[in-house]
Amino acid sequence: MRIKWTFDDGIWNLAFLLDPEDDVKGICSDLAPLELRTNTCQVRLPGGTKSGPDVHPDLLAVAAWTVAAPWTRQKVTFDRPISPALAEVFRTDWGVDAGPVGGDPRSGTRLAISYSGGADSVAAADMIPEAPFIHFQRIRHPRVPNRWEFYRSDVLATLAGETGRDLTIVQSDLELLLNRPGPGYPEHHAVLVGALLLADDMDLGGIATGYEIGSRWLGGDRYIHRYTPDNPMWSADGKWGRLFQAVGLPLVLPVGGISEAVTMRLALESDLRDQVRWCLRGPRSGPCGVCSKCVYKELIQAAIERRPLDTKATTEMPVSRQWQGPPPYSGQEMIEYGCAHVPGIENTLFAKAADYLQATEESTAWVERCYPPAIDEIPEPWRKQVDAYIADKVGLMTADQMRRVETWGAR
Amino acid sequence: MMQSVARILVPSRLRRTARDRIDARYVTKPEHRQDIRNAREDARKDIRKSREDIRKSQEDIRNLRQEVQALRQEAETERRRQDAEAQQAQQEIQALRRDLVALRDEVNRLRQMTTTVNKANDVAVRGQRLAEQTAEALDHVLQNEVRVWQAIDGLSAQTAVTEISR
Ligand SMILES: [Zn+2]
């Protein structure tokens, strides 16, 4: 793989060229099969960005890697030298020969939050109120007709702007590089491309994200649905964790030890409650209410509020199909929690799932506490702050509850 | 019927009066005069009665005439009313016929409009399908472009290696 970055008037243009052994078919770090559409993309930084082409080459290298990794088989050639430490991570953790090599490693001090506006990143933002936000906004790709106009990245950016926090919006079309399974981040870390390219400008020494216990420890989302201390995406010692550490931007998961039920509670109790938005489709005035995300999050909200499910979605709708068969389900710990806590669940579209899961308030109590190793994993400069917040607003799991996490997916 | 019987009886009674006069030589003169007076009186009564009967009959005839006249008028009124009704019905039928024609026109117009809308829909659906197919085709073109450059780069690298080793 050969990487080429060009900078023009605040816009970083990336092109990557496949070596003979590379392939347009690839595998994401979460093991999902992917297919490449095209090999160029852009990242638009806001006006007033100073560093521009002088940004540390290691940052450019990792930024490029977040979109080029799935297609690379053996070797990556960057257009400027990377530090030996970074090259070493590529070699040992990725089995990839990266170069050319030269120069010093980079470092920084401040923590920024990769802010999506969903409940998880709002909870993270509430934990670290002084951290600036960096928001990724999808824009259309000049070479790809937009068939996904329902995706309202403009609404999400507007809501982020209404938080009143220090906000930098970074626009990119990199999600359109992905042909299959559809538009999205080639690697989950591609959402951090703006933070990487702005790290020198903002003197960043860490990036906080909203990945919660399901993503970090339970192999959730597109992943494998089992306990994952060695999670390649989000563990400090995983191949991505080490890569980000090598460029002076350790990944910080303030909500890595708590579930979506807790992040939602914290988000709805926070100052940013009016800007929380997990739906990617609804207009400024409100979420769509019937997409997969809306129905899933409504289950969680109903559970934490101990009230019946309030949704227009019905069992017959395509959105409900995923919960009509047996588990595993995406975010299954939350489906269990919801089924155990929502009154009248047997009369909802989750009736079948509830029947399969047989979850009880007792069997899901762990979902309301923090998994302690997640706090240990937070880099030292921010650990104390998160720890105090968790102690104040959440509380830690008991040994028995921790075992629930550690045997997840083994039943 | 009784009255006409009475009228027929009158002459026979007069005949009897005449016979009584012939028999007068067998009665006294005053008696005879009295008989005549009585007979005259009876005759007068009969005449009055007949006149009365005639008058009543005439009155009956008048009443019947009036009744017939009234019936005729009634029949005439009824006929006129029926004529008017028939005329109105005719007018209503005419109006309905006109409405029917207008409705038929409207249905035809709507039918044509539906056809136009359907045609527009067909065009839109075809357009959307074409756009989707074009976008998908473009995906393949873009992907092939990546592959072509990959092959070209591979070839030029090989050529370079060959040239160096010569
Ligand atoms: Zn929605």
Side-chain angles (χ1 to χ4, degrees), chain B residues 83-123:
Chain B
D83 280 358
E85 258 177 26
Q87 204 180 344
Q88 203 183 338
Q90 200 67 31
Q91 277 172 358
E92 268 169 30
I93 286 167
Q94 294 287 352
L96 278 171
R97 262 195 199 121
R98 280 196 299 272
D99 284 355
L100 193 66
V101 169
L103 266 174
R104 222 170 250 149
D105 286 352
E106 180 70 5
V107 166
N108 282 338
R109 204 176 58 78
L110 282 172
R111 210 172 263 152
Q112 269 168 3
M113 218 156 79
T114 311
T115 314
T116 313
V117 167
N118 282 346
K119 270 184 194 154
N121 266 347
D122 284 354
V123 169

Side-chain angles (χ1 to χ4, degrees), chain B residues 7-144:
Chain B
R7 272 197 300 267
I8 295 164
L9 286 179
V10 172
S12 68
R13 204 178 274 184
L14 285 175
R15 270 196 306 273
R16 203 176 59 214
T17 311
R19 210 170 36 242
D20 288 347
R21 207 165 35 210
I22 295 165
D23 294 341
R25 52 195 153 159
Y26 301 106
V27 293
T28 61
K29 244 180 187 172
E31 273 176 351
H32 182 67
R33 279 192 198 112
Q34 189 57 40
D35 281 349
I36 288 170
R37 266 198 303 274
N38 285 352
R40 211 175 272 154
E41 191 57 32
D42 282 352
R44 271 192 204 109
K45 268 183 192 164
D46 282 350
I47 288 165
R48 267 206 302 278
K49 178 95 172 58
S50 294
R51 276 197 188 128
E52 180 63 14
D53 286 349
I54 288 165
R55 201 188 53 75
K56 271 189 182 151
S57 295
Q58 280 170 342
E59 200 174 313
D60 282 348
I61 287 165
R62 234 183 356 261
N63 284 343
L64 279 169
R65 266 202 195 115
Q66 274 172 3
E67 225 167 284
V68 166
Q69 183 66 19
L71 273 170
R72 263 194 200 126
Q73 268 175 6
E74 204 175 306
E76 178 66 11
T77 311
E78 180 64 13
R79 197 180 52 75
R80 279 198 193 128
R81 202 182 56 75
Q82 280 180 0
D83 280 358
E85 258 177 26
Q87 204 180 344
Q88 203 183 338
Q90 200 67 31
Q91 277 172 358
E92 268 169 30
I93 286 167
Q94 294 287 352
L96 278 171
R97 262 195 199 121
R98 280 196 299 272
D99 284 355
L100 193 66
V101 169
L103 266 174
R104 222 170 250 149
D105 286 352
E106 180 70 5
V107 166
N108 282 338
R109 204 176 58 78
L110 282 172
R111 210 172 263 152
Q112 269 168 3
M113 218 156 79
T114 311
T115 314
T116 313
V117 167
N118 282 346
K119 270 184 194 154
N121 266 347
D122 284 354
V123 169
V125 166
R126 275 206 304 277
Q128 196 185 343
R129 202 184 307 140
L130 187 64
E132 277 167 12
Q133 286 169 353
T134 307
E136 266 171 47
L138 185 57
D139 284 348
H140 288 295
V141 171
L142 291 172
Q143 204 178 56
N144 279 339

Side-chain angles (χ1 to χ4, degrees), chain A residues 277-282 286-295:
Chain A
R277 179 69 68 86
W278 40 76
C279 175
L280 307 177
R281 293 167 178 250
C288 81
V290 290
C291 73
S292 178
K293 201 79 175 280
C294 278
V295 176

